[in-house]
Amino acid sequence: MILPKSILIFGLLLFSMGFPSLAYADFDRGLRAYNAGDYQTALREWLVDANQGDSAAQNNVGTMYAYGFGVPINYAEAAYWYRLAANQGNADAQQALGWHYINGEGVPQDYAEAAYWYRLAANQGNAGAQQALGEHYLNGEGVPQDYAEAMRWFRRAADQGYAAAQYDLGVMYENGEGVPENDPEAVKWYRLAADQGYVLAQHSLGLMYINGEGVPQDYAEAMRWLRRAADQGDGAAQYDLGVMYANGEGVPENDVLAYMWFNLAAARGGKGASEAKEAKEDLSQKMTAAQISEAQRLSTEWLEEHQ
């Protein structure tokens, strides 16, 4: 899995502290250049160590090509460098190579090959790879479907605080996949992920409060979690907020705010978009032109604040 830039920087710092081979001056200069935003210099410095066989430098060069830092994005080149590092046992590169295989980026799409690389990284304790391998078992991609095995890998990643795996555990407990259905346990894992800002977990936790599943029904608490997800751009949460405002659940009924959230969800696309569009059109039948104009203004204002 390719990590966000903010996480990547942290990972690069860990590389420099955790691998004796990274005492190379070239790597340190590359790290300083990277953190200063001078990606071309960083790449040039890391290529020196990478060509000498340093696995952490090879992994970083792969990431530069995967993200297009200092060079045009080139997934084939990224996969080349990741493979060099992965073959030396670099867990981050193994995880990244698994991502390339599952997505068919720079290599032919191959779920079994993705699972192979994820497993190597997962066995080294890489939480992202553990979560990804769990998804392979959950969906039967590249491996036989096995809920118990999915649960085992999700749990290992979740116990390291990996939010995506905590969310996945919540889903499995809520749906009774591989374990008896257990809403309080689902809420526990959703909350752990939601507290880390994981948007899908925030939305799911909001729904648990709406429906009183695993927690007492609490519209105010539902609103709080849905709003956190909606403010991250989650269309399904935006739609659910619209429903709450339209029905006056946990808040005074407010057609203008309901329309605003429906409008945002419809424009976002994805899950809930068609329902949001229909709800917006139905709601508009009882609104004045001034109310609709105000809702549209609020939608524009929200978009400007959350770009």
Side-chain angles (χ1 to χ4, degrees), residues 3 23 39 56 72 96 136 165 183 191 239 244-245 250 256 302:
L3 300 177
Y39 299 137
H136 277 269
D183 287 339
R191 191 182 306 280
Y239 168 73
M244 294 189 76
Y245 277 110
V256 171
W302 186 94

Side-chain angles (χ1 to χ4, degrees), residues 247-267:
N247 296 335
E249 296 172 336
V251 289
E253 186 175 329
N254 189 317
D255 290 343
V256 171
L257 290 178
Y259 187 102
M260 180 197 88
W261 288 112
F262 288 147
N263 193 37
L264 289 169

Side-chain angles (χ1 to χ4, degrees), residues 150-169:
M151 175 69 71
R152 184 171 77 89
W153 287 109
F154 287 151
R155 173 80 66 167
R156 290 180 65 177
D159 285 343
Q160 295 191 62
Y162 198 76
Q166 292 169 338
Y167 167 76
D168 288 330
L169 281 178

Side-chain angles (χ1 to χ4, degrees), residues 86-87 89 91 94 115-126 129 133:
N87 282 333
Q94 290 167 343
Y116 168 79
W117 289 108
Y118 280 142
R119 190 183 306 280
L120 290 178
N123 282 331
Q124 295 191 65
N126 184 292
L133 186 58

Side-chain angles (χ1 to χ4, degrees), residues 147-298:
Y147 287 145
E149 193 68 3
M151 175 69 71
R152 184 171 77 89
W153 287 109
F154 287 151
R155 173 80 66 167
R156 290 180 65 177
D159 285 343
Q160 295 191 62
Y162 198 76
Q166 292 169 338
Y167 167 76
D168 288 330
L169 281 178
V171 172
M172 295 192 77
Y173 277 110
E174 183 180 2
N175 296 335
E177 296 172 335
V179 289
E181 186 176 322
N182 188 328
D183 287 339
E185 191 71 9
V187 167
K188 166 192 161 182
W189 290 108
Y190 284 149
R191 191 182 306 280
L192 287 171
D195 282 338
Q196 295 190 64
Y198 196 76
V199 66
L200 295 178
Q202 292 172 339
H203 179 222
S204 292
L205 188 55
L207 293 179
M208 299 299 269
Y209 275 108
I210 286 177
N211 298 317
E213 296 173 340
V215 289
Q217 188 178 55
D218 186 333
Y219 287 136
E221 194 67 5
M223 175 70 69
R224 185 170 76 89
W225 286 108
L226 290 177
R227 182 59 188 261
R228 290 178 67 176
D231 280 342
Q232 292 195 65
D234 184 78
Q238 291 169 342
Y239 168 73
D240 289 331
L241 277 180
V243 171
M244 294 189 76
Y245 277 110
N247 296 335
E249 296 172 336
V251 289
E253 186 175 329
N254 189 317
D255 290 343
V256 171
L257 290 178
Y259 187 102
M260 180 197 88
W261 288 112
F262 288 147
N263 193 37
L264 289 169
R268 181 76 178 179
K271 186 177 180 182
S274 60
E275 293 90 341
K277 183 178 180 182
E278 183 177 345
K280 182 181 74 167
E281 291 173 353
D282 289 344
L283 190 60
S284 69
Q285 300 302 310
K286 65 171 187 172
M287 295 175 67
T288 67
Q291 287 177 316
I292 293 174
S293 178
E294 175 63 8
Q296 291 172 338
R297 183 191 70 78
L298 290 173

